[in-house]
Amino acid sequence: MPKIGMEEIRKDQVIEAAINAIVSKGLSNLSMKDIATQASVSTGIIYHYFESKEDLLMQVLKASFRQSHEKVMETVGPLKPSQDKLMKHLENINLVPKDNPEYMAVFLNYLGEANHNPKIRDMINKLFNNLTDYIGQYLRNVSDDKQQLKNLPVMIIALGIGLGTMWTLNNQLYDIDEMDQSLKTLISNYLANENGGKSK
């Protein structure tokens, strides 16, 4: 029986081991034995802390999202001007596959399962909704054109996921540092265009 006070440490240890196992084996091939081996614990210890494999996998997804969210809060949150927040957020989004490749690998594995698993789909949709709301909040002062801003949060998220997926699968496809400036220029030009986001 694990010592009292070790519960959170052991849970984090198992979650980290599950992340490593997903990165190395893939979600569809993953077994509790793989995770136990990676964590250097017995499967019984894992089931002591997590009700089932699905429970553990949901906690892994939550932990991955939380780490990504904390990075945004640390770097974007303290900035005051909305334009500065936007540029820093774009920088963060662009660098995710380079700075946190484990997150991208886990995210892509879960994304592949989302169509078949309602719980995973709901959690990913919750992430998208939270990101959209957060970006929308700090964009309010970037432009007076409400129609222009309406779809911008979704566009930013889609660009980030698309670029991150492509670079994760083939990091020779484009220069990620050059893409940082290209992404910022693209969004800045969109905002500078008075007709941006409007149908002609």
Side-chain angles (χ1 to χ4, degrees), residues 67-192:
Q67 290 170 6
S68 179
H69 177 72
E70 287 172 356
K71 174 70 181 297
V72 170
M73 291 297 100
E74 287 173 8
T75 57
V76 177
L79 300 175
K80 295 299 180 186
S82 298
Q83 190 76 21
D84 291 351
K85 285 180 180 287
L86 174 59
M87 291 301 112
K88 179 56 72 173
H89 203 163
L90 291 174
E91 185 179 308
N92 282 342
I93 287 173
N94 181 64
L95 290 176
V96 166
K98 182 179 179 182
D99 291 348
N100 196 354
E102 292 82 10
Y103 170 78
M104 279 304 305
V106 168
F107 180 73
L108 290 178
N109 269 278
Y110 279 84
L111 202 59
E113 293 294 316
N115 235 15
H116 312 289
N117 187 318
K119 288 185 178 180
I120 290 176
R121 182 169 62 248
D122 288 347
M123 190 167 290
I124 291 176
N125 278 326
K126 184 177 180 181
L127 168 73
F128 289 159
N129 287 332
N130 288 343
L131 279 173
T132 301
D133 290 343
Y134 177 70
I135 296 171
Q137 285 173 17
Y138 72 68
L139 283 180
R140 288 174 185 166
N141 299 322
V142 170
S143 171
D144 294 327
D145 189 336
K146 302 305 179 187
Q147 184 62 35
Q148 185 185 39
L149 295 181
K150 181 180 178 183
N151 292 317
L152 187 55
V154 175
M155 290 162 57
I156 289 170
I157 294 166
L159 282 167
I161 291 172
L163 288 169
T165 298
M166 294 170 74
W167 199 85
T168 298
L169 296 178
N170 179 7
N171 62 16
Q172 301 301 309
L173 193 59
Y174 65 87
D175 185 311
I176 201 165
D177 296 314
E178 286 182 3
M179 186 59 72
D180 177 52
Q181 189 54 52
S182 296
L183 189 57
K184 290 175 181 177
T185 300
L186 176 69
I187 299 301
S188 294
N189 286 344
Y190 173 80
L191 288 169

